[in-house]
Amino acid sequence: MEKYDSIPSLGEQQTSLRVFTLLVLAQIFGLTSVVLVAVWMGHFREGFAWHDNVTKEFNYHPLFMIIGMVFLYGNAIIAYRIFRNDKKIYIKLLHAGLQALVLVFTGVGLKAVFDSHNLNPKGPIKNLYSLHSWLGLTATVLFGVQWILGFVTFLLPWCGSQIRAFFKPIHVYFGAGIYLLAIATALTGMTEKANFALGADYQKSTPEGLLVNVLGLFLVALAMTVTFIVVNPNYKRQPLPEEETIQLTQ
């Protein structure tokens, strides 16, 4: 990516250092969450399979949802803070591309859970009855609508600067809101799965139960870090000189 060469002030350097520290923390929290859910499903829940074992096929659901709606989505949200000095069009493409990957992982994750219910050898299990499933469906639909509207508004050329300026704060607000909804969905799903899988043993602080709780703490830490980065106006990406020139001439 092309970068704007300038000598930052002391205040800008301090802000950049704080942003960098928070971004590193976000990656640590996010990657650790992915690793923990992979260990949970791969080790404690006996690994992964597809249609030949729908119980193990379910294990793709939490893994892919955490990768998609939590880790990749979080990085898409803070992409404008990560690449603060790069051309905006490149960041837009990265932002949209990461969210497209979120849709892919989410789609496969949803197929895994529906297959595990519908193809259960003991008989079909009812779909969409729990709070977790309602939150998840809401988050998925809102995310899809958000992605389509963002793509049409900010990537396609026919929207003028006034429309984009009007829609931008709405886009940012719903982006953060949907992300927090995804975190809440993950936490309710983890609790539901732990109760189903462990039963009364969940109260005995078993290794699996402790892992689930630690995973939940990392998800909360990730949500707080990403949200703080996004809402703090000091960390907002500033337009490059050529972008300000374009805005003045429009």
Side-chain angles (χ1 to χ4, degrees), residues 58 60-62 64-65 104-114:
F58 170 86
Y60 282 115
H61 173 68
F64 282 3
M65 300 308 282
V104 173
F105 276 99
T106 299
V108 177
L110 289 177
K111 175 174 172 53
V113 70
F114 280 114

Side-chain angles (χ1 to χ4, degrees), residues 166-185:
F166 171 80
F167 185 64
K168 182 179 177 180
I170 301 173
H171 183 73
V172 172
Y173 170 78
F174 275 96
I178 294 167
Y179 185 68
L180 294 178
L181 178 58
I183 296 291
T185 303

